[in-house]
Every structure is written in C-alpha cells, then in structure tokens.
Amino acid sequence: MLILVINCGSSSAKYQLFDIKKNKSVAKGIVEKIGEKGAVCKDHYQAIGIIRDRLLRDRKKILKDINELKGIGHRVVHGGEEFNKAVFIDKKVLRSIESASELAPLHNPPSLAGIKACKRYFSGIPQVAVFDTAFHQTMPAHSYIYGIPFDFYKKYKIRRYGFHGTSHWFVAGEAARILKKPLRKLKIITVHLGNGCSMTAVLKGKSVDTSMGFTPLEGLIMGTRSGDIDPAIVTFLMEKNKLSAEKVAEILNKKSGLLGISGLSNDMRDIICGMKKGNKRAKLAFDIFVYKIKKYIGAYQAVMGGADAVVLTGGIGENVPVLKNRLSNELRSALGAKTKFMIVPTNEELLIARDTYGLIK
Ligand code: ADP
C-alpha cells in the first residue's frame, strides 16, 4: 500500500513514497530553489507536477498509476489551536490552515500551495494534514500562556504553540520501545537539534512543555536563530541603530545563533572544525549551545519530577556523539544514574505516512 508524503518549505518541496505495510521508504527526492533564478520551476504548483512526473517515470516502476496511491500526507507547520491530531483535508480544514497562515506566514502558504496542487495533480486521492504544532496541544495553560496582557491571547492568539511536534512524538515513542516500557509510564525529555532546535517535556506520552513558542524563534540557540533573549534587546536595537521591526526580525532569525556568535557558520560541522583549529568564538558558540540544552533539561526534569530518558535527535543530535557524552557527564550528578541518555534518529516522514494510513484505514 503506497502513501506519498509531501513537505513543502519556502523554496523546496520534499517527497517520500512509503510502502506503509512494510514500513519502508521506496522513493524520495526534492525539488529545490523553487521560484529562484535558474530554477526548474517557478512555484510549488509546478513543483508538485514535477514530483508526479518523477514518480510515474521512475525506472523502478513502483508507481505505475496515480490511483495506486492510497493517500497523501502533508506536513503542515502551523495548525493553530484547532488541530491536535492529523485530519483529512476538506474545504473547512483548508480554510483553517489558511487562517493559521497569519501565525506562520513563511511556513503555511507553501504547504497550502502544495495541497492545492496535489488536489489537481493527484485528483481523487485522499489527502491528510499532519501538523507540527498538534502534539503540543496537550500543554497546560500555565505552560503556554505568556506573561503579557491576557487580551493579546484572546484577540491575536499569542501563546506558546511549539513546533517539531511530529519529531518529538516519534522519538519519544521510539525511546519507549527501546526502553521496553509504555510511554504512559515514562518521563522523557526529547531534544531535536537540526537547523532549528527545540526540546519537549513528554510526560506519560503527552507534551507538557516545549521550548519553541509563538514562533520557532524561542528556546535553544539554533543555526541562525537567537533562541531566548531579553525582549528589551529588540526595542533597544530598534532605538539605538534605528532599525525597523523587519530588520530586527531578520537579525534574530537569520544572523544570530551559532552563526551570530561564532561569526563563522551556522553549520555545526564548521563549528566543530573551527573548535578543533582553536577558533575561540566557535568554541564559545558550542559552549553556549550545550549550556542552553543543559538549562532546559534541568527545567523539564523539575517540571516532570524526574526524567527517565533524555533523547537526542536531528542532524546535530544524531551525529555529534561528543554532545551526548558531555551532557551525560555534566548532568550525571544532577539527574542521577537512572536517567538514560539516548540517540534516536528521527523520521518525521514515516510518522506522517503512518498518520495518513491511520486515517485512511
Ligand atoms: P533540518 O532541521 O533542516 O532538518 P538537519 O536535521 O539535517 O536539519 O540538521 C542540520 C544540522 O545538522 C546542521 O547544523 C549540520 O551541521 C548538522 N550535522 C549534520 N550532519 C552532521 C555531522 N556528521 N556532524 C556534525 N553535525 C552534523
């Protein structure tokens, strides 16, 4: 049974085809630089057309006819407060994703474009939306309400939403499987470290707190994002350097984090290489990166009254063993011997395919 997973980002469309009964990826690829100079296509609509053609022309002939597809699962970044699980996409769901675009102006419009294109290119195939925010909808109000006038929550829905939910949920489940215990009996801290980085306190299988907030800017130090800062820095910079709101947002999202501190790169491989060559700012960036994770582990351990496991995942979490060793050594006395430090590869696409199949079944 074939399920297609589509993940549309601002300038790319990734796809992966799963034989879901075998839990196996059978084809995957990416259409990149959408809309950029010299690109193969001008928008996401064309990109989905290219994906359909590639799948049908693949020489392995896994997909001979689009009707062999049993469903299409779309990664959608923001589901607002409306969605706490995957849903079939109908007109009402489309409208809700559209209205959540206000909260995720960079992320939701490409997903919507991908969904609309799939309706045309894969006409008649059931489509499902899987939201990055859905897993975090179990957070209690004391985790998600900010200390600002409550009216801003009521009027504009300003609150913590959290992201990377599919990944946190997937690796928490995998960790439980490895530990041979049901999730409902575990306290797990999941640490997703990719280009974007976030952590979640998973208590009895439910997200009770997470480090990304109203947007993916809050929390840990990331490749180019600042993570937590004193909000007064924003107004200070605007006044001091006469910067516009847009410019400050650009600095915090694109010029901060590992890149901003090191002045070298947003890529962890370059930071590690820089450290090995004695670059002091690369070492400072790495130290701050680790320190922030440590602080959140401490906070989430306190929130859950302990932690059975700290689970590292994402490009950095999976490939930098020194990070795991350092965290487990430095936190051993604070956490005690019971807490396991684990590396678990994430597979958001597989989970999206499973959720899609779950609904279709
Ligand atoms: P995304 O969030 O875009 O899915 P990834 O999960 O692929 O990103 O993570 C990208 C990050 O992982 C980059 O900082 C990259 O340097 C880091 N990374 C990937 N492979 C390695 C490696 N072998 N060693 C160190 N860092 C790595």
Side-chain angles (χ1 to χ4, degrees), residues 285-346:
F286 188 78
D287 286 345
I288 298 172
F289 187 82
V290 178
Y291 181 70
K292 261 318 220 342
I293 298 169
K294 267 173 71 175
K295 282 217 297 197
Y296 269 94
I297 291 176
Y300 289 168
Q301 182 210 19
V303 160
M304 295 194 289
D308 296 297
V310 174
V311 183
L312 299 164
T313 194
I316 299 172
E318 292 166 31
N319 293 300
V320 187
V322 62
L323 183 72
K324 181 185 139 196
N325 297 340
R326 201 167 138 179
L327 286 171
S328 62
N329 289 338
E330 292 180 14
L331 285 164
R332 190 46 68 210
S333 64
L335 295 180
K338 208 181 119 257
T339 307
K340 303 245 174 345
F341 281 77
M342 313 163 74
I343 291 176
V344 175
T346 192

Side-chain angles (χ1 to χ4, degrees), residues 67-325:
N67 290 313
E68 287 173 345
L69 274 183
K70 292 298 168 240
I72 302 176
H74 292 269
R75 175 189 179 211
V76 181
V77 168
H78 217 308
E81 285 190 310
E82 201 168 326
F83 301 106
N84 59 6
K85 57 178 187 307
V87 287
F88 276 120
I89 300 171
D90 57 16
K91 281 197 182 130
K92 190 166 164 274
V93 169
L94 263 183
R95 271 199 304 275
S96 299
I97 299 174
E98 234 147 26
S99 67
S101 289
E102 197 189 25
L103 301 171
L106 298 178
H107 295 99
N108 274 21
S111 304
L112 271 169
I115 292 167
K116 286 178 182 166
C118 282
K119 279 197 180 292
R120 161 83 205 281
Y121 283 110
F122 299 95
S123 169
I125 311 298
Q127 297 199 52
V128 167
V130 181
F131 301 93
D132 266 28
T133 47
F135 178 53
H136 301 301
Q137 279 298 305
T138 47
M139 281 188 292
H142 60 248
S143 295
Y144 70 71
I145 294 290
Y146 287 111
I148 56 174
F150 196 70
D151 265 2
F152 290 131
Y153 167 59
K154 287 204 287 194
K155 253 199 221 156
Y156 306 124
K157 294 274 173 251
I158 297 178
R159 51 159 285 176
R160 176 182 308 287
Y161 288 97
F163 300 89
H164 290 144
T166 314
S167 176
H168 289 293
W169 169 235
F170 181 84
V171 298
E174 288 297 290
R177 204 174 49 79
I178 295 163
L179 293 169
K180 296 192 172 63
K181 280 196 181 154
L183 256 180
R184 71 188 142 75
K185 293 201 170 152
L186 288 168
K187 297 165 181 170
I188 298 179
I189 298 173
T190 48
V191 189
H192 178 108
L193 305 173
N195 283 311
C197 301
S198 71
M199 290 178 55
T200 298
V202 185
L203 179 64
K204 299 179 183 172
K206 293 200 166 120
S207 167
V208 291
D209 203 351
T210 193
S211 61
M212 282 180 168
F214 178 56
T215 72
L217 186 55
E218 195 183 345
L220 302 175
I221 297 276
M222 313 182 207
T224 58
R225 291 185 206 135
S226 64
D228 303 326
I229 58 164
D230 180 342
I233 295 169
V234 173
T235 43
F236 180 87
L237 275 180
M238 288 173 87
E239 281 164 17
K240 193 89 181 156
N241 285 358
K242 303 278 170 285
L243 298 179
S244 64
E246 197 185 346
K247 188 71 197 159
V248 177
E250 189 196 325
I251 292 171
L252 297 179
N253 277 292
K254 305 218 169 112
K255 300 198 168 149
S256 299
L258 292 175
L259 172 67
I261 300 165
S262 70
L264 188 69
S265 170
N266 62 309
D267 194 302
M268 187 51 97
R269 284 167 286 210
D270 298 333
I271 299 291
I272 291 171
C273 189
M275 277 200 298
K276 284 184 184 153
K277 288 184 185 151
N279 182 317
K280 289 204 175 104
R281 293 242 310 265
K283 181 171 180 327
L284 179 64
F286 188 78
D287 286 345
I288 298 172
F289 187 82
V290 178
Y291 181 70
K292 261 318 220 342
I293 298 169
K294 267 173 71 175
K295 282 217 297 197
Y296 269 94
I297 291 176
Y300 289 168
Q301 182 210 19
V303 160
M304 295 194 289
D308 296 297
V310 174
V311 183
L312 299 164
T313 194
I316 299 172
E318 292 166 31
N319 293 300
V320 187
V322 62
L323 183 72
K324 181 185 139 196
N325 297 340

